[in-house]
Amino acid sequence: GNQVTFFLVQNGVLASRKGAKADALRSLTGTRGMTVLADEFSLRERGIWRDKLADGVETAGIDQLVDLLITDGCKAVWH
């Protein structure tokens, strides 16, 4: 019942590509209350363009991550 944002950075964005064998990521993008974001800089550094992202994955800048982190009630879990 919680709102969850899954933010991919650095090599984590590789799982966001169409056709990537990331079954866990595909299950997240279809879950109600779940947002999957991929860092724009990390995508650019790896030559992954928006049209190559899997369905349900959105791009975001680190500034958006910071905004999420300072939201009241936000709990960050890093892995």
Side-chain angles (χ1 to χ4, degrees):
N2 293 317
Q3 188 69 26
V4 177
T5 301
F6 193 70
F7 198 100
L8 300 166
V9 295
Q10 297 183 350
N11 284 337
V13 300
L14 296 172
S16 69
R17 296 169 296 139
K18 286 181 186 172
K21 295 187 183 207
D23 294 331
L25 182 63
R26 274 193 294 283
S27 69
L28 292 178
T29 59
T31 303
R32 191 174 75 121
M34 173 67 70
T35 302
V36 179
L37 302 175
D39 174 47
E40 293 169 340
F41 180 79
S42 298
L43 290 167
R44 224 178 14 257
E45 287 292 302
R46 288 152 184 83
I48 303 170
W49 311 119
R50 288 179 191 216
D51 63 333
K52 301 297 182 193
L53 292 179
D55 293 338
V57 177
E58 302 171 35
T59 62
I62 289 295
D63 57 325
Q64 289 170 275
L65 175 61
V66 172
D67 289 343
L68 288 169
L69 291 172
I70 62 171
T71 302
D72 286 340
C74 175
K75 178 179 179 184
V77 179
W78 299 92
H79 180 57

